[in-house]
Amino acid sequence: MIFSPTVARLVGGCFFLTAVPLCIAIARLAINLNELAARSQVAVKRAESVGAVSRELRTAGLSVERSVRQAVVLDDASLLEDYARARQALERAMKRADELPTQSSERTALGELRTFDGTLAAQLVGGLPPADARPAVVEAATRISELADKVEEEFDSFVSREIHELEESALKGRNDWPVLVGIAALLAAVLGLGFSVWVSRPLSSLDRSIRRMGEARFDAPVTIKGPRDLRTLGERLEWLRQRLHSLESHQANFLRQVSHELKTPLTAIREGTELLNDRVTGELTEGQEEVVRIIRDNSHQLQRLINDLLTYQQHRSEVPLRLETVYVPDLVQKVVDSHRVPILAKAISTKVHIVPVSVSLDREKIRVVLDNLLSNAIKYSPVGGQILIAVRIAHDLLQMDVSDQGPGISHADRLKIFESFYQGPAPAQASVKGTGLGLAIAHDFVLAHGGQIDVMDAGKPGARLRVRLPAMDMKTEGAQESPLAHGGAQQ
């Protein structure tokens, strides 16, 4: 469902919109380059035309001046034919210059050149003028040559200005391109981040909801906002949550009722067994004593199983924490004292090292955690083995370790042992199998405190379970760790 066509189109649209700013920037750069290339081509052609016209004007102007001077100096009117040809070349060059996209300075110089050309032509209409008028003719021809040079200079300036404008345009474009690309990249990053948040937020909500249901936490409803397909998936998860919550409630009621119904006949069995064991009804034969012992042991085991089920049901009912300030050494001492009989029965020595500290926690739940960890350690410890209980403060956490010298916990079982009703390999000396609830209850009680329980040194001989709890309202009453005394079985 998550990879439906609608979501796929949504993701594709997000990627497309994210790429749009970069595509626009690239297109803009391409357009600028094309415009610059087109302007360069036009400028090159215009420079060629202007250069050719300016050269023609200069050549024609020089030819006019030279032919007029020769005619005046040699007093030969026939040389005016060269002037006429030079003047035609000058007029053609001026006509071509008029077709160029010149500016006011070039047009002014061309106007002056055309004026002196007309003046000179008028002076030479009837041939060479009288001797007293010839200096004016030479001066006009010289002025034409000078103006032709001036027009060439103006055209050269015109070409230089166009080249300078192209250089400025190229420089401006080169300076603008990084800014444009940076803006486009920033916009793409912002859009990408926005789209990723928009798409990932419902997926994160789905992930959190699935994790909560996987942890049997059905209190919070599943509400998903986002694309239609994800909302539909959220509605189905909400239906599943309600269904699982209902099944959980039925299971809790079933366990509570069954446990209650079993306690009444079990109490009668235990009382009857105790009466027989106390010889109230008379002396028993050796065979009868063995039968009574078997019934008595199994009734005790059944009582323990029922208590575990009741504790498990209490946990599943999500009873809130009852926080109080607890002096941890006293709590640990009471737990160790409660296991005096099985410890002595297996000749187990215990070492308890603890920092004298008070912490805010749920006394009963943590007592159950320690009780289950110690019971598990006693169960798997060999006869004459040793159990170590160490409590200290580490990184602002209350850290409790319970270690034994049993076979240890394999890598495959390090996570499974905290699952409800899971039972690892039973120890060889165990006569009665457990329920598989002790460590599961301990795990959930630790999580309820916001802590963590882990298997340390998995795969090695000797199990070591570590509990880390937030040290809330911690008060340390001693700087050194001190061992607790507990009879001869403890060191």
Side-chain angles (χ1 to χ4, degrees):
M1 176 63 68
I2 293 180
F3 298 102
S4 63
T6 301
V7 177
R9 288 195 296 269
L10 175 63
V11 174
C14 292
F15 279 113
F16 173 76
L17 291 178
T18 303
V20 164
L22 294 176
C23 294
I24 292 176
I26 294 173
R28 181 61 182 170
L29 293 178
I31 292 173
N32 288 342
L33 288 175
N34 288 334
E35 290 178 352
L36 185 60
R39 289 182 59 185
S40 299
Q41 291 179 353
V42 172
V44 169
K45 292 181 179 179
R46 188 177 299 168
E48 292 177 353
S49 301
V50 169
V53 171
S54 63
R55 286 193 298 271
E56 290 180 7
L57 285 172
R58 184 169 180 276
T59 301
L62 288 174
S63 299
V64 168
E65 181 185 9
R66 184 173 56 253
S67 60
V68 170
R69 284 183 180 275
Q70 289 177 350
V72 171
V73 170
L74 298 177
D75 192 20
D76 186 356
S78 63
L79 295 177
L80 293 178
E81 294 179 1
D82 295 334
Y83 158 73
R85 288 192 295 270
R87 183 171 183 266
Q88 291 178 356
L90 180 62
E91 290 179 347
R92 288 195 301 267
M94 287 190 296
K95 185 176 181 181
R96 290 185 58 188
D98 290 336
E99 297 175 356
L100 296 176
T102 54
Q103 295 183 354
S104 59
S105 59
E106 290 86 7
R107 287 194 294 271
T108 300
L110 281 173
E112 292 179 2
L113 180 60
R114 187 171 283 106
T115 299
F116 277 96
D117 176 63
T119 301
L120 181 60
Q123 291 174 346
L124 297 175
V125 170
L128 285 173
D132 57 345
R134 290 181 181 180
V137 172
V138 173
E139 183 180 355
T142 302
R143 184 59 179 165
I144 289 175
S145 179
E146 292 174 352
L147 289 174
D149 291 340
K150 183 180 178 180
V151 170
E152 182 182 21
E153 291 176 359
E154 293 292 339
F155 281 163
D156 289 341
S157 299
F158 173 77
V159 172
S160 298
R161 286 195 301 271
E162 284 207 336
I163 293 175
H164 181 67
E165 290 177 359
L166 285 176
E167 290 177 349
E168 288 185 345
S169 297
L171 182 60
K172 183 177 181 301
R174 187 174 63 183
N175 294 333
D176 291 345
W177 294 344
V179 176
L180 183 61
V181 172
I183 294 175
L186 179 61
L187 183 59
V190 171
L191 288 175
L193 180 61
F195 287 137
S196 63
V197 171
W198 183 46
V199 174
S200 63
R201 183 173 296 174
L203 296 179
S204 299
S205 299
L206 285 174
D207 180 71
R208 287 194 299 269
S209 300
I210 293 173
R211 288 180 181 273
R212 283 198 300 267
M213 287 190 289
E215 296 171 356
R217 296 162 55 194
F218 307 112
D219 53 331
V222 179
T223 54
I224 304 299
K225 297 180 180 179
R228 178 175 54 84
D229 291 340
L230 295 181
R231 293 199 305 270
T232 302
L233 182 58
E235 293 172 358
R236 294 184 181 180
L237 282 177
E238 172 62 14
W239 171 84
L240 179 61
R241 184 195 68 83
Q242 295 176 1
R243 180 63 176 165
L244 291 176
H245 187 56
S246 176
L247 293 175
E248 187 77 9
S249 300
H250 290 319
Q251 180 190 31
N253 292 332
F254 173 76
L255 288 176
R256 183 170 58 252
Q257 293 172 4
V258 169
S259 300
H260 178 74
E261 294 297 327
L262 287 176
K263 289 182 69 175
T264 302
L266 179 60
T267 301
I269 293 174
R270 291 190 59 187
E271 291 177 353
T273 304
E274 294 297 335
L275 291 174
L276 291 174
N277 187 64
D278 294 340
R279 309 300 196 275
V280 174
T281 59
E283 294 297 325
L284 302 176
T285 64
E286 184 177 349
Q288 290 172 337
E289 288 182 358
E290 180 65 19
V291 172
V292 170
R293 185 187 64 79
I294 294 174
I295 295 175
R296 184 183 181 188
D297 291 343
N298 281 276
S299 64
H300 280 290
Q301 176 65 13
L302 185 57
Q303 180 69 47
R304 189 174 67 84
L305 296 178
I306 292 174
N307 290 336
D308 285 346
L309 286 174
L310 289 175
T311 304
Y312 176 75
Q313 184 274 329
Q314 179 186 14
H315 159 65
R316 304 308 289 179
S317 299
E318 297 181 355
V319 178
L321 295 177
R322 297 179 179 178
L323 298 178
E324 57 180 304
T325 302
V326 177
Y327 186 55
V328 179
D330 288 347
L331 179 62
V332 176
Q333 183 72 66
K334 290 179 181 179
V335 172
V336 175
D337 288 343
S338 67
H339 290 272
R340 174 191 292 267
V341 174
I343 287 175
L344 293 176
K346 298 183 70 173
I348 296 173
S349 64
T350 61
K351 283 187 176 181
V352 181
H353 292 275
I354 183 171
V355 171
V357 62
S358 298
V359 180
S360 178
L361 46 79
D362 190 313
R363 181 190 300 271
E364 179 59 25
K365 283 184 170 58
I366 298 303
R367 185 200 65 79
V368 171
V369 171
L370 290 173
D371 186 83
N372 289 338
L373 293 182
L374 185 56
S375 297
N376 188 75
I378 295 171
K379 177 181 177 181
Y380 285 92
S381 289
V383 176
Q386 184 183 80
I387 294 177
L388 173 64
I389 301 175
V391 181
R392 64 190 183 94
I393 302 298
H395 306 293
D396 295 329
L397 295 175
L398 180 65
Q399 179 176 300
M400 300 184 290
D401 289 359
V402 178
S403 308
D404 61 58
Q405 294 179 337
I409 300 172
S410 65
H411 288 283
D413 288 338
R414 63 177 304 179
L415 296 179
K416 294 181 181 179
I417 62 172
F418 298 116
E419 296 178 359
S420 300
F421 302 105
Y422 177 80
Q423 299 182 37
Q429 69 273 19
S431 58
V432 182
K433 200 173 184 181
T435 60
L437 291 175
L439 293 181
I441 294 172
H443 176 265
D444 292 337
F445 281 0
V446 170
L447 290 184
H449 281 77
Q452 184 177 356
I453 182 169
D454 298 297
V455 175
M456 312 301 292
D457 303 329
K460 297 181 180 180
R464 180 158 66 105
L465 284 84
R466 172 171 294 175
V467 173
R468 297 184 183 92
L469 297 173
M472 297 180 292
D473 300 330
M474 178 183 65
K475 295 180 181 179
T476 303
E477 301 183 15
Q480 301 293 329
E481 292 187 358
S482 59
L484 295 177
H486 187 278
Q490 190 164 1
Q491 301 177 0

